[in-house]
Amino acid sequence: QVQLVESGGGLVQAGGSLRLSCAASGRTFGSYAMGWFRQAPGKERVFVAAISSSGGSTYYANSVKGRFTISRDNAQNTMFLQMNSLKPEDTAVYYCARGSRPYIGSPTDYSYWGQGTQVTVSS
């Protein structure tokens, strides 16, 4: 069974940066695409970014393109989300999730959610 643990959230001023991490258990981390999603208060969880199993392909939601960078270290079973130029509308609980295939696919392909990490951006 896959376990995912997010870390790195916190409170930051608008324009600041944070780096989220997602540590995965198990031996299959490098075989699957991984993704980041977020859920703001009172809203549905939405897709943020995804990365293929090898790290060679990435995909971003338009709202974060150019500001966020997703990456992974398969040797360390860890995925990252570097968030720059943060805005108050980025405030949310951020979740990592594992895809069901090596390629990015669609947001519905992702499961095995972590517990989430809170990101709060003050104006």
Side-chain angles (χ1 to χ4, degrees):
Q1 185 174 354
V2 176
Q3 290 187 328
L4 303 173
V5 179
E6 303 94 335
S7 61
L11 173 64
V12 64
Q13 289 188 333
S17 299
L18 282 175
R19 190 191 196 206
L20 305 184
S21 298
C22 172
S25 66
R27 302 178 180 178
T28 62
F29 178 79
S31 299
Y32 296 96
M34 295 291 295
W36 287 99
F37 294 72
R38 68 186 182 187
Q39 186 168 19
K43 296 187 177 181
E44 294 185 351
R45 185 159 53 191
V46 297
F47 169 81
V48 174
I51 187 167
S52 63
S53 60
S54 68
S57 297
T58 57
Y59 187 77
Y60 298 92
N62 287 336
S63 58
V64 307
K65 199 173 296 182
R67 300 187 298 121
F68 291 11
T69 302
I70 189 171
S71 62
R72 66 189 296 163
D73 183 343
N74 287 344
Q76 298 296 324
N77 277 18
T78 305
M79 175 180 64
F80 305 98
L81 186 68
Q82 178 66 44
M83 306 187 294
N84 298 330
S85 303
L86 283 162
K87 305 175 182 180
E89 50 264 44
D90 294 318
T91 295
V93 177
Y94 284 71
Y95 299 90
C96 66
R98 199 198 79 175
S100 59
R101 300 175 179 86
Y103 54 89
I104 290 173
S106 86
T108 58
D109 292 337
Y110 290 76
S111 57
Y112 294 108
W113 303 94
Q115 84 289 348
T117 185
Q118 175 70 48
V119 171
T120 303
V121 184
S122 63
S123 58

